[in-house]
Amino acid sequence: WSEIGVKPGVTIDELDKAYLLRRSMEKGNHNDLRLAWKILRDPYTSEAYTHYKRVRHIIEAGFFDDEVEPEDYKEERSDLNWLTTPVQKIINNISELDEETINRFKKQPPVVLLSTGSFSPIHQGHLMMMENAKKELESRGRTVLGGYISPSHDKYVFSKYKDVQFLDTSHRLRLCEKAVAHSDWLMSDPWEARYNDVPITYTDVITRLESYLAKHLHVDFPVSVFYVFGGDNAAFARLFAKKGGCVCVKRPSHEDRLLSINHDPIITTNNNILIVDAFYDQPNISSTEIRNGTKEGLA
């Protein structure tokens, strides 16, 4: 906060203006200034940083700089009238609920699940991870209305797999749509990959999806978006220490990644952060193994 020259509680517009003023004054190290602005601009990273006080913890939790400056943000990026994300399966599932269940939502909101990633390609492990997350939430009395698979931007995928052949946005989305076609609750969301100029953080996807659902579901109860990820990304749980909810589904070969959060009381005592085992026989496969031809398991 001191780096930008503002106090907690300011609006995004006020934060942007303060950053632009400091930037124009060339006061201090610009890289540090920009990093502070980006962390504070995101409601998840700003809350997590307030608790952990270490940038390293935030970066380990998946934060990265999208390199967009305030004057480069495009209105369509946050325009909720831009119909890009399907909602019909959620609407169908709401229509089948009884009045007693809906009345409970005012005290305990229903959940929509979200998973982001390269999905290059999507496989059975990804789908079973979402099924495991849904099963765990339902075992705790939560209602899951739907779920989204959100492929990452091409620029991110290329940077991750630049030394090997990778699937472009159209190909990855087509495979995702095919994978969830017969599901009554899972959908593919093209917004992150197709309607942004640059790779964005998963917390940006969460924030936008929550606002989008609030506008287009036309219901009188809140809907919570829970982020779903594998145990290899266990540190992501830190960004939900003070805001939102998530489900981390353990992966057999990545138990060591859980060590970073297993003894964190802010995580282990948070009912909105779930670290779970697989209910189903979740295959231990990766997209890399499928691309290399060493394993099968396309969704």
Side-chain angles (χ1 to χ4, degrees), residues 230-289:
D232 49 328
N233 290 315
F236 284 13
R238 290 179 184 146
L239 293 195
F240 302 91
K242 294 291 186 178
K243 180 177 174 62
C246 67
V247 184
C248 174
V249 181
K250 296 178 182 178
R251 293 185 63 180
S253 56
H254 295 86
E255 289 86 352
D256 59 317
R257 302 291 180 90
L258 294 169
L259 296 177
S260 63
I261 62 172
N262 274 344
H263 303 292
D264 186 338
I266 200 69
I267 290 176
T268 56
T269 61
N270 188 331
N271 291 329
N272 286 326
I273 298 178
L274 286 62
I275 313 295
V276 304
D277 292 308
F279 282 88
Y280 299 93
D281 185 18
Q282 182 167 323
N284 185 27
I285 58 177
S286 69
S287 297
T288 300
E289 291 172 319

Side-chain angles (χ1 to χ4, degrees), residues 116-122 150-152 156-157 160-161 167 172 291:
T116 66
S118 299
F119 299 111
S120 184
I122 190 170
S150 176
S152 301
Y156 167 78
V157 181
K160 188 175 181 181
Y161 304 120
L167 307 177
R172 289 182 291 120
R291 285 195 307 272

Side-chain angles (χ1 to χ4, degrees), residues 3-4 15-31 33-34 37 67-72:
E3 189 78 30
I4 304 295
L15 183 66
D16 289 352
K17 289 177 181 177
Y19 165 72
L20 287 170
L21 177 61
R22 288 293 179 104
R23 191 185 69 180
S24 67
M25 296 167 59
E26 296 184 348
K27 185 175 182 179
N29 183 293
H30 179 64
N31 290 335
L33 177 67
R34 180 181 171 79
W37 168 64
E67 300 182 1
V68 177
E69 293 284 349
E71 59 268 36
D72 297 326

Side-chain angles (χ1 to χ4, degrees), residues 153-187:
H153 195 278
D154 265 351
K155 290 181 181 177
Y156 167 78
V157 181
F158 178 74
S159 68
K160 188 175 181 181
Y161 304 120
K162 60 184 177 181
D163 295 328
V164 297
Q165 184 178 8
F166 75 97
L167 307 177
D168 64 16
T169 291
S170 296
H171 198 164
R172 289 182 291 120
L173 282 171
R174 187 160 57 248
L175 290 175
C176 288
E177 289 165 1
K178 182 179 179 180
V180 301
H182 299 293
S183 171
D184 62 358
W185 70 284
L186 279 174
M187 294 163 283

Side-chain angles (χ1 to χ4, degrees), residues 88-156:
Q88 192 57 49
K89 290 182 181 180
I90 296 176
I91 293 173
N92 291 344
N93 289 332
I94 292 174
S95 69
E96 296 176 357
L97 298 173
D98 57 51
E99 186 175 350
E100 181 181 354
T101 300
I102 292 177
N103 287 336
R104 290 202 303 266
F105 290 164
K106 295 178 181 179
K107 291 184 178 180
Q108 189 175 56
V111 173
V112 167
L113 300 180
L114 167 70
S115 185
T116 66
S118 299
F119 299 111
S120 184
I122 190 170
H123 54 70
Q124 289 293 336
H126 294 131
L127 299 183
M128 296 310 295
M129 181 177 70
M130 295 293 279
E131 294 286 354
N132 287 327
K134 181 174 183 288
K135 186 77 172 180
E136 177 67 20
L137 281 162
E138 290 174 341
S139 74
R140 301 190 186 198
R142 303 299 293 265
T143 299
V144 177
L145 297 176
Y148 289 96
I149 301 293
S150 176
S152 301
H153 195 278
D154 265 351
K155 290 181 181 177
Y156 167 78

